[in-house]
Amino acid sequence: MNSNNSSNSNNNTRYNEKVMDSNGIDWSNVVNSFLEATDDAEAGDAIKIFQSHSTLHSNLNHIISSSPGNTLIPLLHTICNNTYQTAILADTQHAMSKGRNDHSRLNAAVTLLQESFSKTLNDRKELIVDSPLSESGSKKIGVLYIVNLLFAMYFRLNTLRLCKNLLRPVETRNLHKSGDMGDMVTYKYYVGRLHMFEDNYSEAEENLDYALLHCHKNAIGNKRRILNYLIPVKLVGGRLPTVKLLEKYNLREYIPLVVAIQRGDLRLFNDTLWKYQDKFIRRGTYLLFEKCKTVCHRNLFKRVFMILEKHQVPLDNVVNAMKWLGLDIDLDEVECILANLIFKKYVRGYISHSKRVLVLSKKDPFPKSVIVKKY
């Protein structure tokens, strides 16, 4: 870079010279905002750090399009990540002083990253897979990393509808199918979570399975995060994880749920949901576990059937079993539960309302193929 004395005597920035690189790009604003951000970082005020870093990010966005090739992508990624992290710290500091978190800094950070996303996505040069960084390379190589940061921010802000604005351009250009494996795993993780919240369980399982399979073998924490969403998705589909797997990744809160579903133990199921309710709600998986209760009901009816060893099951026996599990329930409620199970084909048979009896099919009354299903 070449430095020339600035003719502007009223320049209030710390660096009073133009900083030009060999391509004629003026880096003065970037350098000055970097120096200011460094000073604020040393002072330790999170809000001022975010403000100066936002200026730095904005100045870098301004020159990224005119820079040749994709050699600045690693720098852009670092700046994007720092913007995200400093926004969280600044919002936290603001919340501690004001008593509430308005997420205003994180929302401002979203705007900066959206601009970085646009700058890289709209680069006219075609992306060549596995090509090294160069002055002739495409800036599209930097898209997926920025998209993942935006996903993280949208999930924090609970603005999941905005994720669609990222999915379409990325997947239309197949930018999610090549590049750094860590970025692809992170992308699949967030897309899987997004499908889960939209009740698209097949797509959710496919993406989360990919993320788990390709996650680095030593990234235990990341695998645990993936499993926190993959496990409830699989449970809804009737596939139960092993206790060995849950213990390996320290996911012990799922063990009593799995045992309860296997046994049809509604008391244990409800007690576990209550115990970990706050944790499951924060993750957004609580309603999925509520849906698993249907399988638990089915297995309870099956246990009563196996004890009685006859295909005509008096509903009084089911009521007694549920009351023994601590549930306050009557015959009408049991009939409603049964009607739902029969409708979903979890149970084969019919209800004799007049006799208050469940008449089960003599051939496979509790078909496993319906429970263990692909959506």
PDB file of all heavy atoms in Angstrom, residues 35-50:
ATOM      1  N   LEU A  35      -8.495   1.232  13.906  1.00  0.00           N
ATOM      2  CA  LEU A  35      -7.769   1.811  15.035  1.00  0.00           C
ATOM      3  C   LEU A  35      -8.734   2.260  16.142  1.00  0.00           C
ATOM      4  O   LEU A  35      -8.475   2.077  17.337  1.00  0.00           O
ATOM      5  CB  LEU A  35      -6.926   2.987  14.559  1.00  0.00           C
ATOM      6  CG  LEU A  35      -5.753   2.635  13.622  1.00  0.00           C
ATOM      7  CD1 LEU A  35      -5.113   3.898  13.072  1.00  0.00           C
ATOM      8  CD2 LEU A  35      -4.718   1.782  14.355  1.00  0.00           C
ATOM      9  N   GLU A  36      -9.868   2.836  15.734  1.00  0.00           N
ATOM     10  CA  GLU A  36     -10.865   3.252  16.717  1.00  0.00           C
ATOM     11  C   GLU A  36     -11.460   2.043  17.441  1.00  0.00           C
ATOM     12  O   GLU A  36     -11.669   2.067  18.665  1.00  0.00           O
ATOM     13  CB  GLU A  36     -11.972   4.055  16.030  1.00  0.00           C
ATOM     14  CG  GLU A  36     -11.508   5.425  15.533  1.00  0.00           C
ATOM     15  CD  GLU A  36     -12.594   6.146  14.744  1.00  0.00           C
ATOM     16  OE1 GLU A  36     -13.738   5.638  14.732  1.00  0.00           O
ATOM     17  OE2 GLU A  36     -12.302   7.188  14.152  1.00  0.00           O
ATOM     18  N   ALA A  37     -11.732   0.975  16.680  1.00  0.00           N
ATOM     19  CA  ALA A  37     -12.273  -0.236  17.286  1.00  0.00           C
ATOM     20  C   ALA A  37     -11.281  -0.847  18.272  1.00  0.00           C
ATOM     21  O   ALA A  37     -11.670  -1.356  19.332  1.00  0.00           O
ATOM     22  CB  ALA A  37     -12.634  -1.245  16.197  1.00  0.00           C
ATOM     23  N   THR A  38     -10.001  -0.764  17.931  1.00  0.00           N
ATOM     24  CA  THR A  38      -8.959  -1.287  18.823  1.00  0.00           C
ATOM     25  C   THR A  38      -8.919  -0.499  20.124  1.00  0.00           C
ATOM     26  O   THR A  38      -8.824  -1.062  21.222  1.00  0.00           O
ATOM     27  CB  THR A  38      -7.588  -1.224  18.135  1.00  0.00           C
ATOM     28  OG1 THR A  38      -7.629  -1.981  16.920  1.00  0.00           O
ATOM     29  CG2 THR A  38      -6.504  -1.791  19.028  1.00  0.00           C
ATOM     30  N   ASP A  39      -8.997   0.832  20.025  1.00  0.00           N
ATOM     31  CA  ASP A  39      -9.009   1.675  21.221  1.00  0.00           C
ATOM     32  C   ASP A  39     -10.209   1.357  22.110  1.00  0.00           C
ATOM     33  O   ASP A  39     -10.091   1.247  23.339  1.00  0.00           O
ATOM     34  CB  ASP A  39      -9.044   3.152  20.829  1.00  0.00           C
ATOM     35  CG  ASP A  39      -7.688   3.646  20.332  1.00  0.00           C
ATOM     36  OD1 ASP A  39      -6.695   2.923  20.538  1.00  0.00           O
ATOM     37  OD2 ASP A  39      -7.644   4.740  19.733  1.00  0.00           O
ATOM     38  N   ASP A  40     -11.397   1.194  21.477  1.00  0.00           N
ATOM     39  CA  ASP A  40     -12.608   0.902  22.247  1.00  0.00           C
ATOM     40  C   ASP A  40     -12.536  -0.480  22.887  1.00  0.00           C
ATOM     41  O   ASP A  40     -13.036  -0.687  23.995  1.00  0.00           O
ATOM     42  CB  ASP A  40     -13.847   0.998  21.348  1.00  0.00           C
ATOM     43  CG  ASP A  40     -14.171   2.433  20.968  1.00  0.00           C
ATOM     44  OD1 ASP A  40     -13.794   3.335  21.736  1.00  0.00           O
ATOM     45  OD2 ASP A  40     -14.789   2.657  19.907  1.00  0.00           O
ATOM     46  N   ALA A  41     -11.910  -1.430  22.182  1.00  0.00           N
ATOM     47  CA  ALA A  41     -11.756  -2.772  22.749  1.00  0.00           C
ATOM     48  C   ALA A  41     -10.892  -2.736  24.001  1.00  0.00           C
ATOM     49  O   ALA A  41     -11.169  -3.422  24.993  1.00  0.00           O
ATOM     50  CB  ALA A  41     -11.158  -3.717  21.710  1.00  0.00           C
ATOM     51  N   GLU A  42      -9.839  -1.909  23.961  1.00  0.00           N
ATOM     52  CA  GLU A  42      -8.967  -1.782  25.134  1.00  0.00           C
ATOM     53  C   GLU A  42      -9.692  -1.114  26.295  1.00  0.00           C
ATOM     54  O   GLU A  42      -9.445  -1.429  27.462  1.00  0.00           O
ATOM     55  CB  GLU A  42      -7.721  -0.986  24.758  1.00  0.00           C
ATOM     56  CG  GLU A  42      -6.785  -1.735  23.804  1.00  0.00           C
ATOM     57  CD  GLU A  42      -5.604  -0.884  23.373  1.00  0.00           C
ATOM     58  OE1 GLU A  42      -5.588   0.315  23.718  1.00  0.00           O
ATOM     59  OE2 GLU A  42      -4.707  -1.419  22.698  1.00  0.00           O
ATOM     60  N   ALA A  43     -10.637  -0.209  25.981  1.00  0.00           N
ATOM     61  CA  ALA A  43     -11.398   0.480  27.035  1.00  0.00           C
ATOM     62  C   ALA A  43     -12.427  -0.445  27.676  1.00  0.00           C
ATOM     63  O   ALA A  43     -12.794  -0.254  28.832  1.00  0.00           O
ATOM     64  CB  ALA A  43     -12.080   1.717  26.465  1.00  0.00           C
ATOM     65  N   GLY A  44     -12.927  -1.423  26.896  1.00  0.00           N
ATOM     66  CA  GLY A  44     -13.811  -2.443  27.465  1.00  0.00           C
ATOM     67  C   GLY A  44     -15.282  -2.108  27.487  1.00  0.00           C
ATOM     68  O   GLY A  44     -16.056  -2.839  28.110  1.00  0.00           O
ATOM     69  N   ASP A  45     -15.716  -1.032  26.837  1.00  0.00           N
ATOM     70  CA  ASP A  45     -17.141  -0.699  26.782  1.00  0.00           C
ATOM     71  C   ASP A  45     -17.760  -1.431  25.594  1.00  0.00           C
ATOM     72  O   ASP A  45     -17.500  -1.095  24.440  1.00  0.00           O
ATOM     73  CB  ASP A  45     -17.316   0.815  26.625  1.00  0.00           C
ATOM     74  CG  ASP A  45     -18.776   1.244  26.730  1.00  0.00           C
ATOM     75  OD1 ASP A  45     -19.644   0.519  26.215  1.00  0.00           O
ATOM     76  OD2 ASP A  45     -19.033   2.300  27.323  1.00  0.00           O
ATOM     77  N   ALA A  46     -18.607  -2.426  25.875  1.00  0.00           N
ATOM     78  CA  ALA A  46     -19.136  -3.291  24.814  1.00  0.00           C
ATOM     79  C   ALA A  46     -19.959  -2.515  23.790  1.00  0.00           C
ATOM     80  O   ALA A  46     -19.895  -2.800  22.589  1.00  0.00           O
ATOM     81  CB  ALA A  46     -19.977  -4.402  25.431  1.00  0.00           C
ATOM     82  N   ILE A  47     -20.721  -1.524  24.242  1.00  0.00           N
ATOM     83  CA  ILE A  47     -21.560  -0.765  23.308  1.00  0.00           C
ATOM     84  C   ILE A  47     -20.701   0.067  22.364  1.00  0.00           C
ATOM     85  O   ILE A  47     -20.943   0.107  21.149  1.00  0.00           O
ATOM     86  CB  ILE A  47     -22.548   0.121  24.089  1.00  0.00           C
ATOM     87  CG1 ILE A  47     -23.557  -0.763  24.839  1.00  0.00           C
ATOM     88  CG2 ILE A  47     -23.280   1.076  23.146  1.00  0.00           C
ATOM     89  CD1 ILE A  47     -24.538  -0.009  25.705  1.00  0.00           C
ATOM     90  N   LYS A  48     -19.676   0.721  22.903  1.00  0.00           N
ATOM     91  CA  LYS A  48     -18.765   1.495  22.042  1.00  0.00           C
ATOM     92  C   LYS A  48     -17.972   0.574  21.109  1.00  0.00           C
ATOM     93  O   LYS A  48     -17.700   0.935  19.961  1.00  0.00           O
ATOM     94  CB  LYS A  48     -17.824   2.324  22.896  1.00  0.00           C
ATOM     95  CG  LYS A  48     -18.494   3.517  23.575  1.00  0.00           C
ATOM     96  CD  LYS A  48     -17.481   4.372  24.317  1.00  0.00           C
ATOM     97  CE  LYS A  48     -18.155   5.603  24.931  1.00  0.00           C
ATOM     98  NZ  LYS A  48     -17.172   6.455  25.672  1.00  0.00           N
ATOM     99  N   ILE A  49     -17.606  -0.598  21.607  1.00  0.00           N
ATOM    100  CA  ILE A  49     -16.894  -1.560  20.760  1.00  0.00           C
ATOM    101  C   ILE A  49     -17.749  -1.928  19.558  1.00  0.00           C
ATOM    102  O   ILE A  49     -17.278  -1.954  18.415  1.00  0.00           O
ATOM    103  CB  ILE A  49     -16.530  -2.831  21.560  1.00  0.00           C
ATOM    104  CG1 ILE A  49     -15.474  -2.516  22.618  1.00  0.00           C
ATOM    105  CG2 ILE A  49     -16.008  -3.934  20.630  1.00  0.00           C
ATOM    106  CD1 ILE A  49     -15.220  -3.661  23.580  1.00  0.00           C
ATOM    107  N   PHE A  50     -19.029  -2.208  19.824  1.00  0.00           N
ATOM    108  CA  PHE A  50     -19.918  -2.575  18.711  1.00  0.00           C
ATOM    109  C   PHE A  50     -20.080  -1.422  17.736  1.00  0.00           C
ATOM    110  O   PHE A  50     -20.074  -1.615  16.515  1.00  0.00           O
ATOM    111  CB  PHE A  50     -21.283  -3.011  19.224  1.00  0.00           C
ATOM    112  CG  PHE A  50     -22.284  -3.232  18.117  1.00  0.00           C
ATOM    113  CD1 PHE A  50     -22.165  -4.318  17.266  1.00  0.00           C
ATOM    114  CD2 PHE A  50     -23.312  -2.311  17.898  1.00  0.00           C
ATOM    115  CE1 PHE A  50     -23.068  -4.510  16.219  1.00  0.00           C
ATOM    116  CE2 PHE A  50     -24.200  -2.495  16.857  1.00  0.00           C
ATOM    117  CZ  PHE A  50     -24.083  -3.595  16.024  1.00  0.00           C
TER     118      PHE A  50
END
